Amino acid sequence: MMNAISLALTNPMGGADLAPPPWVPDASRYMPAATGTRWPAGFTQTYAAGLNYQCSKLFFGSPDYPTNDFLIPFTGFGLTEGGTAPQETVNPNANIEIDEVFFIHPDGTEYPVLFGGLAAATVTAATGIVYGQVMLPAPLPAWSIFGIRTVWHGTVGNSYIGGYRCQRHRGEKYWAATDLASVQALAAANAASAPDRDPDAFYNTAGNVSNSQPLAYGPAMVLAKGWDGRPVPLVLADSLVERQELAASADARRNMGIWRRWLDQRDPVWGSCIPLVMGVPGSKSVQELASSATLRWNMIDAIATTYNGGKPIWTCVLDQSGRNDNSATASTWSNAKFGLVDRVKTRYGVGTHVVGITLMPTFTSTDAGRTVAGFAVATLWNPVTGTLATVNNSIKASARYAGVIDMVPAFMSDADPTKGPAAELFPLGNVVGHPGNQDGVTTWDTMKLPAAVPLGSRIIFEYQPGLWTSRTLIGRADNGDGTADYKVSEIFATNVQDNAALLAHGMNLDTSSYVHPVLHGVLRTVSRIPQSEKLKFYP
C-alpha cells in the first residue's frame, strides 16, 4: 500500500518514471469510503399494499486503507435524470421513515447504524438529510467489500425515491412486506428478493417507473475516517460516469463505467481513488450548481463544517461533464462546461484545483455497431474535424484547468480516429452449439458460451450466415468444462446456427445513436488511459 514516501521508478529507456508526491494522512477527516454510492434519482415509486415496508441490502468497496468510524447520510430529495438533470426536484410526496440501518462486515456481522443514538430516523421529503454513524470494534481492513442494509417504510399510496438497482451477482437483495417484522424476517433469512422488487422482466433495464428495474433506497454516500492522504476527486459528472452500465456488469466493488473503474484501479504507484460523484445520467454542466441543484453541495459543505473542522470531503475537482450541453456552436458548448467550473471556483475559491476531461463522440451505425467502418459520425460529434474537435481543443487550452486528461484517443478505434470501438474489436469465439430448439417459434432465454465471457456483456452473434443479432447477458451458471450457461434479457425465438461466430459490443444503441460504451468498450478504454494521469490531481 502507498504511504507518505514518494516513489520514483527507473524505466528501461533511462530516467525516472512519474510518481506521486508524498501523501499526507489525516486520519481524523471523514472522506468518501465506498465505491458505487449513488444519489436518489430518476423517478418516484408508490408504496403498494403489502409492500410498504422495504429493505435494501447493498454492497460497496472500501478504500485501500483501514477504516472504522463511518458517517452515512440519507436524503429525502432526489435528482432528475434526462433533460433537466441534475436538478433536485424528483421528490417523494411524504417523509421517508427509516426503521433501522445496519453495517454489514465482510465476516457477516451486522452493526447497527444509529442516528443521534437512535435506530430510527425520519427523512423530510424534498429537503431532509439524516446522518447515521457506526464505530466498528476493530478497523475494517483495506480493500474490503462491506454492506449497508436499510429498512424503511411509508403509507400505502404514498411515494418514495430510490437510487440503486439491485445487483444479483453481488449478493444484493431488495425485499418488501406488509410490516416491519415480516421484512426483518426476510432479511434475517437472506431470502430471495421480493419478485415485485427485483422482477426478471426488468432486471438490468433503465427506463421509467413502469418499465425499469425498481430503484432501492439507500445511503447517499458513505464516509469514513482513516484517510491516508491520497487524492479524492469531486467529479462533475453525467451518465458517462453513472450509467454506462446498469447492474449485471458491475465489478466486485460496484464500479460501473469508465471513470469509476479507472479511478478505483489498485495501481502500485498511483493507488486507487474513491471519488465523490456529484452528477447523474442526463446532467448538463449548465444546470449543475445552478437553479434547483444546490442541495447536494450544501450537504457536502455542511459535512465539512459539522464533522470535519471545516475540511472538505474532497481534494480536487474532476470535470467529466459537458457532453449533454452539445451545441452546433462550439463556443456555446464549451462555455456551458466552463461556466460550471467558474461556479465551482466562485464557491470554493479561485485556486480550486480542477482537472478537465475531453468529451467522447456519438455515432450512428449501418450494421448495429458490429464494425468500425459501419459507424458514421456527424459534424457535431467528429473528434478530428468537427464541432467536438473545436470544443475539445478549447478544453485542452483553457486556463481554468490545472490539467486535462485527454481520454478521446483511448476511447477511439485504432483503425479510424473518428470512430469508436465496434464489436469486431472484441472477438469471443463461438456460441457453443445453439440455443433453443431451432424451430424459430419457441422462445429461449439461455445460451451456452465460453466461460470467459464476462457477465453483463452485450454480445452480437451470427445467428445465420451473414445475419447478426444481439443479446445482453444477465445471469450465469458455470458448467465446469470451459463453458457457462448465460441467461439473456432479450427473449425471442431466433433460430441460431451451430457454433455461431461471437463478438462483444463496444457501444450501446441508445434509441437512434451509439452514445454509451458497454462493458467491453468501457474496459478497453480504462486499460488505455494511463494511471499516471492521476498526477494531475495533485497541486
Side-chain angles (χ1 to χ4, degrees):
M1 185 172 67
M2 294 278 302
N3 56 30
I5 301 173
S6 181
L7 299 178
L9 303 178
T10 301
N11 66 43
M13 301 301 292
D17 284 337
L18 296 174
W23 292 342
V24 181
D26 187 346
S28 66
R29 183 172 172 181
Y30 282 111
M31 294 298 248
T35 54
T37 58
R38 197 176 187 282
W39 301 103
F43 50 82
T44 59
Q45 296 162 116
T46 301
Y47 295 107
L51 299 170
N52 58 309
Y53 278 80
Q54 304 202 5
C55 178
S56 64
K57 183 179 184 180
L58 307 167
F59 290 99
F60 307 93
S62 80
D64 209 1
Y65 51 81
T67 48
N68 78 324
D69 181 344
F70 290 84
L71 177 68
I72 307 172
F74 294 79
T75 70
F77 59 83
L79 284 64
T80 59
E81 294 187 1
T84 61
Q87 291 186 24
E88 299 146 337
T89 56
V90 178
N91 297 311
N93 64 4
N95 299 339
I96 294 175
E97 302 292 342
I98 295 177
D99 297 285
E100 57 189 13
V101 178
F102 291 90
F103 182 103
I104 307 171
H105 193 277
D107 67 8
T109 305
E110 293 194 348
Y111 297 94
V113 176
L114 301 180
F115 302 87
L118 302 176
T122 296
V123 193
T124 304
T127 59
I129 304 166
V130 297
Y131 296 93
Q133 293 186 269
V134 59
M135 177 78 76
L136 303 183
L140 181 71
W143 208 254
S144 292
I145 304 296
F146 67 92
I148 301 292
R149 185 166 65 80
T150 306
V151 181
W152 75 97
H153 75 273
T155 301
V156 173
N158 283 344
S159 64
Y160 63 99
I161 179 78
Y164 293 96
R165 289 180 169 86
C166 181
Q167 297 173 351
R168 298 173 177 178
H169 65 290
R170 301 183 61 254
E172 295 189 343
K173 299 289 179 69
Y174 189 5
W175 298 287
T178 191
D179 54 49
L180 180 58
S182 297
V183 83
Q184 287 173 326
L186 291 171
N190 197 29
S193 295
D196 177 85
R197 296 295 82 203
D198 186 20
D200 283 347
F202 291 154
Y203 185 69
N204 205 58
T205 61
N208 57 39
V209 69
S210 64
N211 64 3
S212 177
Q213 185 177 352
L215 299 173
Y217 188 64
M221 63 175 65
V222 178
L223 305 151
K225 292 182 178 180
W227 182 53
D228 64 0
R230 69 186 62 210
V232 180
L234 180 154
V235 185
L236 309 173
D238 58 30
S239 61
L240 276 302
V241 166
E242 286 286 329
R243 203 178 68 194
Q244 290 166 291
E245 306 169 61
L246 295 174
S249 57
D251 74 8
R253 290 169 53 79
R254 213 177 204 281
N255 290 306
M256 297 179 285
I258 291 171
W259 293 105
R260 285 191 187 271
R261 290 177 184 269
W262 182 80
L263 288 165
D264 198 43
Q265 290 287 302
R266 203 179 191 184
D267 188 84
V269 174
W270 299 98
S272 59
C273 301
I274 293 184
L276 169 57
V277 176
M278 297 302 287
V280 292
S283 291
K284 295 181 181 179
S285 300
V286 73
Q287 291 164 183
E288 176 63 283
L289 199 51
S291 178
S292 300
T294 59
L295 294 178
R296 289 157 297 135
W297 298 85
N298 293 341
M299 185 184 94
I300 66 172
D301 292 350
I303 294 171
T305 300
T306 305
Y307 296 97
N308 265 3
K311 298 174 183 177
I313 61 174
W314 51 274
T315 64
C316 61
V317 176
L318 182 61
D319 180 20
Q320 179 273 324
S321 71
R323 199 160 182 236
N324 294 321
D325 298 272
N326 61 83
S327 168
T329 303
S331 60
T332 300
W333 189 349
S334 57
N335 286 339
K337 184 175 174 76
F338 296 155
L340 174 54
V341 177
D342 292 343
R343 291 192 296 280
V344 170
K345 291 192 174 188
T346 296
R347 189 178 185 98
Y348 296 113
V350 69
T352 301
H353 188 88
V354 184
V355 176
I357 299 176
T358 52
L359 305 178
M360 300 161 49
T362 289
F363 314 101
T364 57
S365 175
T366 58
D367 62 8
R370 183 170 58 88
T371 67
V372 172
F375 278 135
V377 58
T379 299
L380 177 70
W381 293 107
N382 192 303
V384 176
T385 61
T387 313
L388 180 61
T390 302
V391 171
N392 279 337
N393 286 337
S394 69
I395 292 169
K396 288 184 279 188
S398 177
R400 291 171 173 83
Y401 298 116
V404 172
I405 299 174
D406 184 11
M407 63 82 62
V408 174
F411 168 72
M412 307 306 293
S413 68
D414 294 329
D416 186 336
T418 70
K419 297 176 181 178
E424 67 179 345
L425 302 185
F426 309 108
L428 300 177
N430 300 84
V431 175
V432 180
H434 62 83
N437 61 11
Q438 299 220 95
D439 65 3
V441 175
T442 308
T443 60
W444 51 268
D445 66 357
T446 304
M447 58 193 308
K448 192 182 299 293
L449 303 175
V453 178
L455 184 64
S457 297
R458 175 76 172 158
I459 60 169
I460 181 171
F461 51 95
E462 192 177 19
Y463 68 97
Q464 293 296 326
L467 301 175
W468 297 76
T469 190
S470 300
R471 297 291 190 273
T472 305
L473 309 180
I474 61 170
R476 183 182 184 280
D478 198 300
N479 294 316
D481 60 358
T483 72
D485 293 324
Y486 292 84
K487 184 178 178 63
V488 301
S489 59
E490 303 87 355
I491 302 173
F492 300 109
T494 307
N495 190 352
V496 182
Q497 64 177 328
D498 285 350
N499 303 316
L502 177 67
L503 309 171
H505 276 290
M507 297 290 291
N508 185 61
L509 178 62
D510 294 77
T511 310
S512 60
S513 59
Y514 289 78
V515 178
H516 297 94
V518 287
L519 180 60
H520 283 78
V522 166
L523 295 177
R524 175 181 181 271
T525 306
V526 169
S527 71
R528 287 157 58 100
I529 302 173
Q531 284 287 297
S532 58
E533 292 290 286
K534 289 177 178 175
L535 178 63
K536 293 170 181 173
F537 296 161
Y538 298 86

